[in-house]
Amino acid sequence: MNKLSTIAVLSLMTAVSFSCSGKESETEEPMPGGKPDVVEPTNPEVNPAQDTEDWVYRRNAETGKKEKFFGIGFWGVPGYALKTEPDKDPANEEAFRKWTANSNVMILDPKCLQPYMKDKLLAISGFAWPVYAFSGREPALPTSADRDYYRMQYLKANVDSPAFLKMLDEAVAEYEHRFKDYSHAYAPIDEIALGGLSKWYIPASAGDKINERIKSKASEAVVLVDLLGHGRGSTFFFEKNFLKSHAIMPAKVPYDLLDENARKQTKYPLLGFFKAHDGTPVYSFDAKGNYSYAKIEIETLKSLWFENVKQVAEAYKNNGDVFSINAFSDFSANPILSAVTMDALKAGLGRKPVWLYFDGNGYAKPKNLDPVDYVRLVKCQIYVSLIHGATGILFWNDLHKPSDVFVALQPMLEELQENLPVIKLQTIDKKVAGHLHLLVKQDAEGKKYVIVANTDKSRSVELPFPVSGKKTLTPLEVLVAAL
């Protein structure tokens, strides 16, 4: 999907290090107090090498010990106005504190830094434009609608150039100075394998170089990479497949390889080159060149999606430390894709943490769906990602929408934080069968807990054993409970 979000880079300079090891019940009859008895398990000693999931660790300022850090990040805060000048409006500061109370990460344009943001980990969104500008610095490059093809070939050929390295080093130095008193973050490029600001993918070598230059000046920086806005395909695969039988890419855009209808799309002429790993087109075009997603039945889509995401993750895994995808429109249409995405990322990345993006303010909400019901759908996507190994979550909040979904989201986030002691426990069993996703956790004293979700929108699923007196889960239901 087309989201202007971030590729965040969490530089938790004084507090965070990285380890590569690696509510309310929705029963028909709510439990007393409204919440199952799950919130006070005994955590085992921290031992990253034996973790069953892959975590970012943060040092506790009081105890000095490193602890598992579950990131909850916002891009955009409905109800709060970002300002590029010092914010002298107490009401705006109060809005920031109120509406970010359930988060610990803020994805931020560096121009909008304010002193009252110090209790957040600030992920700086600041590399996309400089990199894109560098890719177009050669005057001889075309400036036509298909210019990004030429720009990305130029960038690929110049990632080791002194000029590119100088640009990156100056940017990192500027951010290090500006954010020296903050637990700060970098956000180099959004959806890097789709292209960020470009309509042609940004080469993995550029992301590798950005990560390298950040680490050269901030060795403990933790880099969160937003890979894609969907898993349907990218120009990455067109180029990868073309180069299997050619030594180099053509000097000019190879339109002769597109069908007639795709060539009629002139506003975004490169869209016909967006392909899945096996060459399946991402878009279909009518006789006038109008485009839409190619219609693919769900089982085929799941298979394509998995292999696409896995191959992209493999290619870009040296771009950073923590990885994300922001396919929340597809997740909302088919919640099971949250699970497919996690499995694919883990297969491609190995033991690196994953924090998926979700829709925080109704970008993908159907018009006839109530905000509370939509949050229930998002909640299912989130818990499914956790069952499949995510150890943090991010939200893109559409600031052009009313804030009703964002307001409805807050109780769910409060519930999630109450469940974090369970989420951070070691996993001892996992079961995935169709739309049933189930995880069993165990604390240091041997007490067991279950996290289970149903990704089916219309049918209940049978549980393998009773949980809180329930034998089935209703559509999209999530349950966290002690066994």
Side-chain angles (χ1 to χ4, degrees), residues 23-25 27 29-37:
K23 91 193 110 300
E24 192 165 339
S25 172
T27 59
E29 297 181 6
M31 303 179 72
K35 294 181 173 60
D37 179 20

Side-chain angles (χ1 to χ4, degrees), residues 67-328:
E67 300 174 345
K68 293 176 179 177
F69 176 77
F70 187 95
I72 302 176
F74 289 165
W75 183 99
V77 182
Y80 167 73
L82 288 167
K83 296 186 177 181
T84 57
E85 301 295 330
D87 188 1
K88 299 179 180 180
D89 181 358
N92 198 46
E93 177 179 346
E94 177 58 29
F96 177 85
R97 297 186 187 282
K98 175 181 178 180
W99 293 116
T100 64
N102 293 315
S103 70
N104 50 21
V105 177
M106 176 77 174
I107 298 160
L108 186 70
D109 182 323
K111 300 187 297 294
C112 299
L113 178 65
Q114 301 293 342
Y116 51 73
M117 296 177 176
K118 283 192 174 182
D119 65 335
K120 306 298 178 188
L121 306 177
L122 302 177
I124 305 167
S125 175
F127 281 83
W129 279 110
V131 169
Y132 189 63
F134 177 88
S135 73
R137 69 197 294 266
E138 175 55 55
L141 290 175
T143 58
S144 49
D146 56 6
R147 62 187 175 275
D148 292 339
Y149 173 85
Y150 302 98
R151 284 182 169 219
M152 293 307 111
Q153 303 309 316
Y154 176 84
L155 178 60
K156 183 167 57 174
N158 286 277
V159 293
D160 291 315
S161 69
F164 188 60
L165 301 183
K166 181 174 182 289
M167 182 273 291
L168 294 179
D169 287 344
E170 288 177 349
V172 175
E174 176 188 345
Y175 297 142
E176 284 299 305
H177 176 73
R178 187 181 303 185
F179 286 78
K180 60 185 173 61
D181 296 325
Y182 297 78
S183 292
H184 57 283
Y186 297 89
I189 299 170
D190 177 36
E191 301 174 6
I192 188 168
L194 280 183
L197 298 173
S198 167
K199 294 298 187 294
W200 198 268
Y201 85 100
I202 294 172
S205 56
D208 292 350
K209 193 61 64 174
I210 293 169
N211 184 35
E212 174 191 301
R213 303 321 296 168
I214 290 171
K215 296 290 174 57
S216 72
K217 295 186 179 297
S219 61
E220 295 188 10
V222 178
V223 178
L224 172 61
V225 183
D226 180 13
L227 289 170
L228 295 162
H230 58 72
R232 295 170 181 269
S234 164
T235 55
F236 167 84
F237 289 109
F238 172 83
E239 190 164 312
K240 180 179 180 181
N241 290 332
F242 184 90
L243 291 174
K244 290 177 180 178
S245 56
H246 300 77
I248 59 173
M249 293 299 292
K252 294 185 177 181
V253 180
Y255 288 116
D256 59 304
L257 299 179
L258 299 183
D259 64 34
E260 182 180 359
N261 287 351
R263 292 197 299 270
K264 291 179 179 177
Q265 169 51 237
T266 56
K267 183 176 182 180
Y268 303 114
L270 300 177
L271 287 186
F273 295 101
F274 281 67
K275 306 287 187 180
H277 70 95
D278 64 352
T280 299
V282 172
Y283 298 100
S284 61
F285 300 86
D286 66 18
K288 294 182 178 180
N290 299 312
Y291 66 94
S292 60
Y293 276 143
K295 294 182 179 180
I296 303 173
E297 60 89 20
I298 184 60
E299 292 305 317
T300 300
L301 178 61
K302 285 163 60 179
S303 177
L304 285 174
W305 190 287
F306 177 91
E307 191 61 29
N308 291 341
V309 171
K310 184 185 80 167
Q311 289 191 28
V312 166
E314 288 173 337
Y316 286 79
K317 64 184 178 183
N318 292 325
N319 278 200
D321 309 299
V322 185
F323 289 76
S324 187
I325 283 178
N326 57 65
F328 37 76

